[in-house]
Amino acid sequence: MMKKYDIIIIGGGPAAINFSKAAQHSNKKILVIEGDKFGGTCPNYGCEPKIFFEGAVRNVLGSQLMEGRGIDQASRINWPQLMKTKKATWKNVPDSEEKSFVKVGVDTLHGYASFIDNHTLLVNEEKYYAPVIIVATGQKPRKLNFPGSKFTHNSNDVLDLDELPSKVAFIGAGIVSMELATMLDACSCW
């Protein structure tokens, strides 16, 4: 039996969260489908964890600049402890974000959606219908295809490494690469 909604949103990140809050009093039956972690990239993999790491790095780099100028010993990062703290801090984010949908009357579903037609989706071998389907999946890093690419990491992976790598090479020189390079360089001195 097909489940019917007024609106289905594929992706449980900021776009779906904002839409759901705006539509909460509309009497529309809404479903949000998420194949990864509710909340999307920013609170789970990107912005929030990166800001946490940047705070630690900023303190270390500042203390290094002041060493011998009133600071006797520069700070150093303990990567395993920092990562343990990061993981503990953000481990409940997906559940919290999913509960925020439920709180505004939106149904949630874990799984990956595929289109059967313009108004019907297949998720976990069940069909879901809505006259309006919004695709709000954000972007995912693209895995490059070259020999040895299985050994590469994307930014999500780097912000979740239990052990700090001894050497790093970046493919691409965008803002995320530069932020991660600065962070890993400051962390490598511990």
Side-chain angles (χ1 to χ4, degrees):
M1 185 167 162
M2 188 176 326
K3 297 178 181 176
K4 295 184 178 184
Y5 288 87
D6 296 306
I7 301 168
I8 297 175
I9 305 170
I10 304 171
I17 292 166
N18 290 332
F19 181 87
S20 297
K21 287 178 182 175
Q24 69 181 320
H25 302 294
S26 69
N27 295 323
K28 300 283 186 190
K29 190 173 179 187
I30 301 172
L31 171 66
V32 173
I33 302 167
E34 176 57 60
D36 192 9
K37 294 181 178 180
F38 277 89
T41 297
C42 190
N44 289 297
Y45 305 110
C47 314
E48 300 298 326
K50 184 177 64 74
I51 290 167
F52 169 78
F53 284 118
E54 284 176 351
V57 167
R58 187 176 295 117
N59 286 316
V60 167
L61 294 176
S63 73
Q64 289 173 353
L65 288 172
M66 291 301 296
E67 190 170 20
R69 299 177 184 176
I71 299 289
D72 289 331
Q73 186 174 353
S75 299
R76 296 185 324 184
I77 288 178
N78 179 326
W79 181 266
Q81 183 61 49
L82 187 65
M83 186 56 68
K84 183 179 176 181
T85 302
K86 175 258 179 186
K87 288 181 179 184
T89 302
W90 276 272
K91 76 176 181 179
N92 295 323
V93 167
D95 290 338
S96 175
E97 294 292 339
E98 185 173 8
K99 287 176 185 171
S100 73
F101 286 110
V102 174
K103 186 177 179 181
V104 297
V106 172
D107 290 347
T108 61
L109 177 64
H110 292 262
Y112 291 93
S114 59
F115 281 88
I116 294 174
D117 61 40
N118 289 344
H119 302 287
T120 311
L121 299 172
L122 183 65
V123 184
N124 302 329
E125 299 183 29
E126 291 192 45
K127 293 179 182 178
Y128 296 84
Y129 171 87
V132 175
I133 297 175
I134 300 169
V135 179
T137 56
Q139 297 181 1
K140 300 278 184 201
R142 184 172 66 97
K143 196 74 169 171
L144 299 176
N145 186 16
F146 61 87
S149 65
K150 66 182 177 185
F151 301 110
T152 62
H153 294 292
N154 62 39
S155 59
N156 294 0
D157 300 330
V158 172
L159 293 174
D160 210 31
L161 291 172
D162 289 323
E163 294 183 30
L164 188 64
S166 60
K167 294 181 181 181
V168 178
F170 288 89
I171 301 171
I175 188 71
V176 173
S177 290
M178 295 302 101
E179 289 173 332
L180 292 175
T182 301
M183 180 189 77
L184 292 175
D185 182 57
C187 293
S188 66
C189 301
W190 71 274

